Amino acid sequence: MESIHILFKVELPKYLKALPIPKTFAGLRKLSAEQWLNLLPTILVVIILLYCLAKAVRSFKKKKAPKPKVNMSLQKEDPKVVTQMDIEDLPDTIAFCRCWRSKRFPLCDGSHNKHNAECRDNVGPLLLRRNGDE
């Protein structure tokens, strides 16, 4: 710990005081080649620190949680899952899955109950009934 203390409290201030930093931007033109060589390590460190800071800020802004997938396993080889049924073929009451967890997809098998308990969700089936059914 003592070496870190000496570095930051003694050596670094001595080094920075010895740097030929002009008071104005116009003074940069008056620096000799040797003075520029003395400034070069400091300039490089500042550039690297600014680059790392900018990269960290950019990556912090970009980090957004990915949207969760709904369909975890059904017909993943297809670009879009579409199921078609004729109305005449449907029974009087039918439940369609909306949680994508059903083993009988597109029909509901009650898998949403387990999903709801695990994820604290409230998804349920789409229930279709013919007129007159209660």
Side-chain angles (χ1 to χ4, degrees):
M1 199 66 190
E2 187 177 340
S3 59
I4 294 173
H5 173 78
I6 291 172
L7 174 68
F8 282 98
K9 292 290 189 172
V10 178
E11 296 300 324
L12 193 57
K14 276 200 286 185
Y15 172 75
L16 292 174
K17 282 181 187 175
L19 285 177
I21 301 173
K23 291 183 179 180
T24 64
F25 283 108
L28 290 173
R29 286 183 280 155
K30 297 177 183 176
L31 293 178
S32 68
E34 184 180 334
Q35 290 173 321
W36 273 107
L37 284 176
N38 289 338
L39 275 177
L40 190 61
T42 306
I43 292 171
L44 289 176
V45 167
V46 169
I47 289 171
I48 290 170
L49 288 174
L50 289 175
Y51 172 77
C52 291
L53 179 65
K55 193 171 180 180
V57 168
R58 254 186 278 130
S59 69
F60 180 73
K61 287 181 181 179
K62 288 181 184 178
K63 285 186 182 177
K64 292 183 180 177
K67 293 184 179 181
K69 289 188 177 190
V70 175
N71 179 6
M72 304 303 276
S73 61
L74 297 169
Q75 301 174 13
K76 295 302 276 185
E77 67 279 356
D78 297 337
K80 186 193 299 186
V81 178
V82 177
T83 305
Q84 183 175 338
M85 294 181 165
D86 290 328
I87 293 176
E88 295 82 22
D89 297 338
L90 297 178
D92 289 341
T93 302
I94 189 165
F96 287 101
C97 176
R98 292 194 304 172
C99 73
W100 290 83
R101 307 299 189 272
S102 175
K103 302 286 188 246
R104 299 182 324 136
F105 190 84
L107 302 177
C108 178
D109 68 356
S111 295
H112 58 274
N113 294 320
K114 181 180 176 189
H115 165 78
N116 288 345
E118 290 174 355
C119 301
R120 299 183 60 184
D121 206 350
N122 66 348
V123 70
L126 169 65
L127 189 60
L128 297 180
R129 295 184 189 153
R130 288 189 193 263
N131 288 340
D133 286 351
E134 295 189 24

